[in-house]
């Protein structure tokens, strides 16, 4: 089977998007090469690429950029040379690796492919509180009563994390948890005063979920300090059970790719080796 035939099976699995223009696509190599194996990883770090080559996988399916930019062009587009980029692509080409990015198409699913995989790998799918399949701006769960600290320990175990940056009381007994997106300015929609005369932003939506819907613990991607984090800090001052377990963007989505490797194996009827390669936690706190 050629690389392009493997990719087509994956694209056929995803919802069809007419006239798609985005970051998904080939970042190196050729779809015409015979596929010797599929390495599935969240991020195409040099460590991941080296492990893929050692495993005999010449097709690397990833979710995040190869080239250090969101658009992830298949060539360097900045107005300066980049030594690390040059060395990285030298290694990619020497090992005849074909890299294909599957980002937007995974998020086109409802529910989202990445976060469905996260739920499954965490063992939380049965606790997901969206039985009607509505398009929500966060993923809410009603867990059996536990503590903030035990949820943090569960995440550390499942994601093989060194540490978790937290805000909240580890002893607080909680059950309403939400995996949320990136709490950054202008994420998912342009923030500002809308036609109804009120200020709207993704961060304010999450604050509403915590304040009005009773979400006690959030697990976000990126954060900024002055929005939802400031709300949680003040809520704690008033004795409310609120917490944030800030595991980071890449760590959050890692389990989604682990699950997607199983999806790909089924799509290929296990006829070609499919190997999940974890990116691993990069952060340490000193």
């Amino acid at each position: 089977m050629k690389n392009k035939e493997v990719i087509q099976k994956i694209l056929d699995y995803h919802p069809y998007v007419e006239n798609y223009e985005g970051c998904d696509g080939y970042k190196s190599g050729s779809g015409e090469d015979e596929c010797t194996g599929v390495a599935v990883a969240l991020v195409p770090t040099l460590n991941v690429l080296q492990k893929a080559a050692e495993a005999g996988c010449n097709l690397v399916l990833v979710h995040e950029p190869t080239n250090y930019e969101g658009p992830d062009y298949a060539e360097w587009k900045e107005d300066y040379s980049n030594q690390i980029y040059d060395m990285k692509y030298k290694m990619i080409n020497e090992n005849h690796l074909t890299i294909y990015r599957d980002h937007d198409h995974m998020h086109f699913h409802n529910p989202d492919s990445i976060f469905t995989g996260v739920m499954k790998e965490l063992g939380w799918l049965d606790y997901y509180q969206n039985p009607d399949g509505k398009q929500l701006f966060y993923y809410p769960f009603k867990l059996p009563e536990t503590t903030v600290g035990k949820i943090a320990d569960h995440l550390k175990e499942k994601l093989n994390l060194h540490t978790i940056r937290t805000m909240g009381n580890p002893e607080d007994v909680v059950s309403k948890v939400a995996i949320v997106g990136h709490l950054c300015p202008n994420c998912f929609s342009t923030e500002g005063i809308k036609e109804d005369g009120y200020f709207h932003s993704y961060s304010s939506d999450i604050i509403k979920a915590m304040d009005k819907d009773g979400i006690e613990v959030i697990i976000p991607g990126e954060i900024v300090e002055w929005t939802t984090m400031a709300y949680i800090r003040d809520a704690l001052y008033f004795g409310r059970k609120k917490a944030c377990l800030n595991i980071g963007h890449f760590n959050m989505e890692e389990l989604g790719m682990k699950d997607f490797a199983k999806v790909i194996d089924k799509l290929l009827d296990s006829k070609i080796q499919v190997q999940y390669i974890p990116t691993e936690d990069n952060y340490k706190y000193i």
Side-chain angles (χ1 to χ4, degrees):
M1 189 178 295
K2 292 183 177 181
N3 287 334
K4 68 179 183 180
E5 295 174 292
V6 174
I7 296 303
Q8 190 59 53
K9 285 182 177 291
I10 295 169
L11 290 176
D12 289 343
Y13 167 78
H14 289 316
Y16 175 71
V17 181
E18 190 173 0
N19 299 321
Y20 171 74
E21 293 183 8
C23 61
D24 291 0
Y26 290 96
K27 306 303 170 183
S28 72
S30 172
E32 296 295 337
D33 289 348
E34 192 73 17
C35 183
T36 61
V38 185
V40 181
L42 184 74
V43 190
T45 63
L46 278 165
N47 186 44
V48 162
L49 297 173
Q50 185 63 48
K51 289 181 178 179
E54 291 171 355
C57 298
N58 67 340
L59 177 59
V60 186
L61 187 106
V62 299
H63 187 66
E64 300 296 0
T66 303
N67 300 333
Y68 318 126
E69 294 283 0
D72 200 20
Y73 303 112
E75 57 184 348
W76 188 247
K77 293 286 190 180
E78 299 286 355
D79 61 355
Y80 59 89
S81 61
N82 185 320
Q83 295 180 29
I84 301 302
Y85 170 90
D86 292 340
M87 290 189 289
K88 182 175 188 176
Y89 265 79
K90 184 174 184 293
M91 179 268 188
I92 290 169
N93 293 329
E94 286 176 348
N95 286 278
H96 306 288
L97 298 177
T98 296
I99 301 174
Y100 189 93
R101 185 178 181 190
D102 188 0
H103 180 272
D104 296 350
H105 286 78
M106 293 192 73
H107 289 307
F108 288 148
H109 287 259
N110 183 23
D112 182 295
S113 265
I114 283 287
F115 291 103
T116 297
V118 173
M119 295 178 209
K120 289 162 66 176
E121 294 294 327
L122 287 176
W124 289 2
L125 196 58
D126 290 342
Y127 305 120
Y128 182 43
Q129 296 287 291
N130 187 22
D132 299 327
K134 295 179 181 178
Q135 192 73 47
L136 298 176
F137 59 91
Y138 64 97
Y139 298 88
F141 305 90
K142 183 70 163 59
L143 302 180
E145 281 196 347
T146 184
T147 66
V148 172
K150 288 180 179 178
I151 295 172
D153 288 341
H154 183 64
L155 292 172
K156 286 174 65 178
E157 177 187 353
K158 290 293 185 179
L159 289 161
N160 194 29
L161 302 180
H162 304 304
T163 55
I164 296 180
R165 189 182 182 197
T166 67
M167 182 182 289
N169 181 358
E171 285 75 40
D172 276 348
V173 177
V174 294
S175 63
K176 298 189 74 173
V177 179
I179 294 174
V180 307
H182 312 304
L183 303 177
C184 301
N186 297 314
C187 272
F188 308 115
S189 63
T190 302
E191 65 179 36
I193 304 296
K194 304 300 182 182
E195 292 179 359
D196 60 7
Y198 294 101
F199 179 83
H200 293 273
S201 72
Y202 184 71
S203 291
S204 63
D205 288 339
I206 300 303
I207 291 173
K208 180 181 178 182
M210 299 190 80
D211 202 64
K212 302 298 183 184
D213 301 337
I215 296 297
E216 297 162 312
V217 182
I218 60 169
I219 305 169
E222 287 90 357
I223 63 169
V224 295
E225 303 290 334
W226 66 81
T227 56
T228 314
M229 298 303 104
Y231 162 83
I232 292 174
R233 184 166 53 190
D234 285 347
L236 290 167
Y237 179 86
F238 286 113
R240 301 294 179 87
K241 293 181 181 179
K242 303 295 179 185
C244 173
L245 303 177
N246 182 23
I247 60 178
H249 183 160
F250 285 177
N251 288 332
M252 172 195 282
E253 298 191 355
E254 189 75 50
L255 294 180
M257 293 306 282
K258 181 178 182 180
D259 179 73
F260 198 58
K262 300 172 186 176
V263 172
I264 295 172
D265 186 59
K266 290 181 181 178
L267 293 175
L268 300 178
D269 297 322
S270 301
K271 293 179 180 178
I272 295 175
Q273 70 155 324
V274 178
Q275 182 166 331
Y276 164 69
I277 302 178
T279 307
E280 300 177 0
D281 187 10
N282 258 350
Y283 291 99
K284 300 179 178 65
Y285 286 86
I286 298 174

